[in-house]
Amino acid sequence: MITPQSSLRRSERSRRATLDAALELCTEKGYGRVTVEGIAARAGVSKKTIYRWWTSKGAVLLEAFTDTFVGATPFVDTGDIARDLRTHINSAVRLTSTTPYGPAYAGILSEMQYDDALAEAVQEQLVGPRFAAAEARLRKAREQGQIPADADLPLAVEMLYGPVYYRHVLRKPPQDEATVASLVDHVLRSLGAEPGSPG
């Protein structure tokens, strides 16, 4: 069935209002105290509308987080893989250290341990696409001769992201730019690359 354009606009307004409301409540109350009822009331939509589009509050906050995360952490290509990875990881660290995104993501990671549907959504909507994008950027660097041909790219991605997730989940202080630079250099050297020597 074709939906009239006005209905599409109303749906997008409702979607955006719901995502914004979820993030606002996460800031005000903390992830654990956010409810679908509260999100609906703040957004000015019905619970039925929310459950038509999402399965849980975790799913709402995951979409809100992912919408911002993807735009805030691009994989640029300046021709220098070390610089580009530092830019990406620093952007990810900044976002996950900022309210409401950090607390929202911490809540999502905690809830997915006992919510299989949310865990699957995190993998499909966030982790899988981000890992694929990181691997694609590393593959481009390999094609440009910045990374050896036999480099294990999937392992390199895990090595890059692992410390970021580790610190976030355990609520340790986030990496500063010097620590991120050291991490990127270590990963590239483990691949047999020489950081800071593009092309």
Side-chain angles (χ1 to χ4, degrees), residues 9-25 35-54 60:
R9 284 198 297 269
R10 282 197 298 272
S11 293
E12 178 55 25
R13 283 198 298 271
S14 295
R15 187 188 80 91
R16 189 70 258 167
T18 300
L19 300 182
D20 290 345
L23 289 171
E24 290 169 4
L25 290 170
T35 64
V36 171
E37 290 83 359
I39 295 171
R42 175 67 62 90
V45 301
S46 68
K47 281 176 59 179
K48 182 178 179 181
T49 294
I50 291 178
Y51 281 120
R52 185 184 307 129
W53 294 339
W54 297 280
V60 176

Side-chain angles (χ1 to χ4, degrees), residues 17 68 84 86 91 175:
T68 299
D84 296 345
R86 288 195 300 268
S91 297
Q175 294 96 328

Side-chain angles (χ1 to χ4, degrees), residues 31 104-115 118 169:
Y31 182 93
Y105 193 43
I108 291 165
L109 293 178
S110 176
E111 189 166 332
M112 65 182 273
Q113 301 308 311
Y114 56 86
D115 183 336
L118 180 59
V169 170

Side-chain angles (χ1 to χ4, degrees), residues 98-180:
T98 302
T99 301
Y101 303 105
Y105 193 43
I108 291 165
L109 293 178
S110 176
E111 189 166 332
M112 65 182 273
Q113 301 308 311
Y114 56 86
D115 183 336
D116 291 343
L118 180 59
E120 184 176 348
V122 169
Q123 177 61 37
E124 290 181 352
Q125 297 175 31
L126 180 62
V127 175
R130 288 284 87 189
F131 270 52
E135 187 174 341
R137 180 64 190 90
L138 288 168
R139 188 179 305 111
K140 180 73 176 296
R142 186 170 62 185
E143 293 168 356
Q144 295 169 335
Q146 296 181 58
I147 294 175
D150 61 350
D152 187 335
L153 302 188
L155 179 59
V157 175
E158 292 193 358
M159 291 169 65
L160 283 166
Y161 282 127
V164 178
Y165 286 111
Y166 165 77
R167 285 180 178 249
H168 189 67
V169 170
L170 296 185
R171 302 180 69 178
K172 295 171 70 68
Q175 294 96 328
D176 57 20
E177 291 192 2
T179 304
V180 169

